[in-house]
DNA sequence: TCATCTTGGTACTGACAATGAACGAACCCT
DNA sequence: AGGGTTCGTTCATTGTCAGTACCAAGATGA
């Protein structure tokens, strides 16, 4: 049974203090350069409370003071920014094509990154290698002197959110892996939060969380690679990742688009992945596992069969986006993953279909913003790092 | 643009007090019969704090004391329950087949209900009639002496959550209706919260919120009637309704199940509603608008054409449920709406398909609970009343 | 029967966070 | 130079929760 027995939140004065500190931090994170007075107005706190909170956050290295703002008749306010010098988070993604590691600042800027090209073997060996690479990353000079808030790992498959355990990663051949438990023995000195999540969900989280200024209410990240997955984040405080009971939320590659269609590796028929995914495109064009899919296709784009295959896949992708629109209706859709590199022959039919049909129901002209990320190499790893930060800011940590 | 500028929550001492009061109330709401000591343990508050909070909630009429519990070695605790005598909420649904009104208690029990069979005409006339019926309901003896917390209205179509405005109700022929603004002039004495939401979303909320004991983390309500819609609720505190940017979340009737299929009234092709919905079944069997669909079909269940039509519709419904499972993965699915009354010929194929395919991806034997509601007449109206209660408990009201 | 044990609930004091008003700081304008 | 305005801090006050002590009410056992 799925019974979160989490009693309704209650708290003491300490809790209230932390709540207000993290509210202040959130405000500055979202709109860098605010003054104490701005925060007091927006958060409905008194100047005194904000002043105290800002002082403690400055002392603990979360914030830094910036320039004086323009005066508008009186004493000018002092701009406040996140202090990117004192803390850092680590994020990593285990993917079919290798390990991707990042270290990043509170603002989401990459301090260092590393892409190790390899095909992961067993979980144990992969964990050991990843640990080694993480050690190297932490030893790099840009990281020096920073306090590490924790480590987030993004994995390509549904993760049962309670344990957490990676239930299934078809492209790695892994099942029921508690990856963090394999990793932690190799990283004894790692302090802070440990996070493990699905790559599309981590990516979605990062894309929303590291945004400043105009922040969408919700965001879906669609990861189009060997398989197709998605992650949805809703912009409450903190943004909430929809994971579902068994971590199956966002498994849009296995929604049925063509009842009675081709068999999918999951055993069902007509799944979206049979129409659009790295493996189905491989199968349609007879490209061997050993070859890099993108590199194999790019020189063949002029071939009619390739164009037809990609156009059909693109239309299926467009249908998938439309179905997302009518199921979750996110404020913004972000499209990433290796298939994006195939460019217009795949994406044009997808976007054309989506844009042509998304407004039929309401008859409006408003288009849901859809952003395509050309290079999504470190997006999921960075998102996992974002989850670490959010967990520290909003969780039970004592660092704030 | 979709920018919720809602600053991150911060608060003062008053806010903290309210938070703890509402936490106590929530606990008792979820598991009636708790003692002060139980609450203190579960909510991590001291006995003193809980004692004070309970006292004020008793005085304000939210709680009542019940029987003494069995002693287990010491002084027996006093059970606490919601006080169903002092407050009440109103809920109403405007549907194609009529107006449904309820008055209900804090526990979700119906004090009174009324079903006015009619086909709604213009929004203005409907609002006036509804107001009149609500007045009658409030005048009924069971309602007497209760303080009304507010009124919730459920409507059959996507609602833009910001305004809120009913964007489109194809089955009523309404567009861009601010129904609450039409209603409020006719109900000058109505105090409290005003809520307006989509019927499937209200229903989902009520099904989750009025549950006691084992509460699922998330729930999807699928409303199968003239059209097909759904609502998703996630069990945070308070449960969060997924509405989406334009209120299109849950418009699963317009997800494409059959690319290039039949034209739907929305202008797209192959929407789920072209395969399973009241209107598509009508069309397939040549049943006129004037006839009641269910009454027309039930005597004809033995006909082969009817059976075939319902089986195909059932399979489409099963596919829809499967796609929901792989997109949102709710902890529980509740199926309601008038089509449920068609019974096994429609539902058996749906459930068979869903159950046969839902576990393929993970290879587990765990079945997501799917509950079928035979009589969903007042489900949405009751859910709208639940939204009123939640809004009072968790919102900025001063009643707690 | 009565003292003792155990648990439930309340009263009082102290700790502590936010408030509110007053004040100093820094800039603008005339 | 001086008044007006806005920013940020200081300090006494207020209000809430924690902790302890205490009372209440039943169980247990001699």
């Amino acid at each position: 049974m799925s019974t979160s027995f989490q009693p309704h939140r209650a708290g003491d004065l300490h809790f209230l203090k932390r709540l207000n500190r993290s509210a202040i931090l959130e405000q500055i994170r979202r709109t860098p350069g605010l003054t104490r007075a701005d925060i007091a107005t927006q958060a409905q706190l008194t100047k005194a409370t904000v002043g105290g909170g800002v002082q403690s956050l400055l002392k603990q290295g979360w914030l830094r003071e910036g320039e004086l703002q323009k005066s508008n008749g009186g004493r000018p306010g002092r701009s406040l920014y996140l202090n990117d010098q004192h803390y850092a988070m680590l994020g990593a993604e285990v993917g079919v094509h290798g390990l991707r590691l990042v270290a990043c600042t509170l603002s989401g800027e990459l301090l260092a990154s590393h892409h190790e090209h390899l095909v992961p073997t067993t979980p144990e060996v992969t964990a050991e290698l990843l640990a080694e690479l993480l050690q190297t990353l932490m030893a790099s000079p840009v990281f020096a002197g920073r306090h590490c808030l924790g480590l987030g790992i993004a994995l390509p498959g549904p993760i049962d959110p309670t344990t957490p355990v990676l239930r299934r990663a078809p492209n790695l051949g892994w099942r029921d892996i508690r990856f963090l438990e394999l990793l932690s023995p190799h990283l004894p000195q790692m302090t802070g939060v440990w996070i493990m999540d699905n790559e599309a969900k981590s990516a979605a989280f990062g894309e929303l969380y590291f945004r400043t200024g105009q922040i969408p209410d919700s965001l879906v990240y669609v990861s189009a690679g060997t398989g197709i997955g998605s992650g949805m984040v809703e912009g409450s405080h903190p943004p909430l990742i929809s994971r579902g009971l068994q971590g199956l939320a966002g498994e849009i590659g296995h929604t049925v688009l063509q009842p009675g269609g081709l068999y999918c590796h999951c055993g069902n028929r007509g799944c979206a992945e049979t129409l659009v995914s790295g493996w189905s495109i491989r199968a349609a064009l007879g490209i061997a596992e050993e070859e890099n899919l993108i590199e194999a296709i790019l020189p063949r784009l002029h071939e009619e069969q390739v164009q037809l295959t990609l156009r059909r896949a693109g239309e299926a992708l467009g249908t998938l986006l439309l179905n997302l629109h009518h199921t979750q209706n996110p404020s913004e859709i972000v499209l990433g993953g290796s298939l994006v590199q195939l460019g217009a022959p795949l994406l044009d039919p997808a976007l054309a279909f989506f844009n042509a049909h998304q407004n039929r129901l309401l008859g409006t002209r408003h288009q849901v913003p859809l952003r395509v990320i050309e290079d999504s190499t470190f997006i999921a790893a960075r998102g996992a790092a974002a989850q670490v930060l959010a967990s520290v800011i909003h969780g039970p940590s004592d660092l704030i």
Side-chain angles (χ1 to χ4, degrees), chain A residues 95-391:
Chain A
V96 203
H97 302 302
L99 308 179
R100 287 121 177 214
L101 294 79
V102 302
C104 74
T105 67
L106 298 185
S107 313
E109 314 256 310
L110 298 194
L111 285 168
S113 63
H114 179 73
H115 186 174
E116 183 85 5
H117 296 265
L118 58 84
V119 178
T121 55
T122 67
E124 291 76 15
V125 171
T126 308
E128 192 168 349
L129 175 59
L130 181 58
E132 215 167 286
L133 293 169
L134 283 167
Q135 306 256 23
T136 314
L137 202 70
M138 289 172 75
S140 91
V142 284
F143 202 89
R146 289 169 201 273
H147 182 80
C148 177
L149 293 175
L151 169 62
I153 307 285
L155 296 169
I159 289 174
D160 193 316
T162 47
T163 326
V165 51
L166 174 68
R167 279 278 170 237
R168 183 171 181 274
N171 305 323
L172 299 176
W174 295 5
R175 283 194 83 97
D176 295 322
I177 306 299
R178 296 165 193 261
F179 195 72
L180 294 183
E181 295 179 15
L182 299 177
L183 200 59
S184 55
H186 300 295
L187 290 167
Q189 83 288 17
M190 172 71 70
T191 56
V193 180
W194 293 73
I195 301 255
M196 156 173 156
D197 211 334
N198 170 272
E199 51 100 10
K201 297 186 178 73
S202 289
F205 190 86
E207 288 308 294
L208 188 67
Y209 197 65
F210 280 143
R211 188 83 53 99
T212 55
Q214 298 278 75
I215 298 177
D217 286 322
S218 56
L219 183 148
V220 164
Y221 181 91
V222 176
S223 167
T226 307
I228 293 233
S230 73
M232 164 108 175
V233 177
E234 298 202 58
S236 47
H237 308 288
L240 195 69
I241 300 179
S242 294
R243 294 198 176 83
L245 176 60
Q246 302 140 302
L248 289 180
E251 285 295 326
I252 54 171
H254 298 281
T255 55
V256 177
L257 274 194
Q258 200 176 45
L262 294 176
Y263 274 99
C264 176
H265 61 78
C266 76
N268 288 341
R269 300 178 67 172
C271 291
E273 282 197 5
T274 64
L275 302 167
V276 52
S277 64
W279 66 261
S280 69
I281 292 176
R282 253 180 220 282
L285 297 178
I287 296 170
E289 284 275 352
E290 295 74 39
E291 286 185 82
N292 178 299
L293 180 68
I294 309 299
E295 287 169 12
I297 292 185
L298 286 184
R300 293 176 55 191
L301 281 184
H302 60 279
E303 292 177 26
E304 198 157 334
Q305 192 204 358
V306 173
Q307 291 191 359
L308 182 65
T309 303
L310 293 185
R311 185 163 69 245
R312 285 202 182 140
E315 279 164 11
L317 181 56
T319 309
L320 218 40
L321 294 175
L322 184 65
N323 286 358
L324 265 180
H325 178 62
H326 284 149
T327 322
Q328 322 234 48
N329 193 23
S331 303
E332 182 172 328
I333 299 178
V334 179
L335 180 60
S338 59
L339 292 189
V340 167
Q341 295 168 50
L342 293 175
L346 178 78
L347 299 181
D348 282 357
L351 301 190
F353 184 90
F354 179 59
N355 288 327
H357 294 85
Q358 65 161 296
N359 281 326
R360 288 282 167 77
L361 206 51
L362 295 184
T364 57
R365 258 183 264 285
H366 175 268
Q367 298 273 349
V368 170
L370 194 154
R371 190 156 51 91
V372 176
I373 300 194
E374 262 91 38
D375 181 6
S376 47
T377 314
F378 295 112
I379 295 293
R382 179 164 167 267
Q387 289 182 268
V388 169
L389 176 58
S391 165

Side-chain angles (χ1 to χ4, degrees), chain A residues 60-73:
Chain A
Q60 289 169 86
W62 287 99
L63 296 180
R64 67 177 174 84
E65 289 189 314
E67 80 288 352
L68 280 177
Q69 291 202 335
K70 277 270 164 67
S71 159
N72 35 346

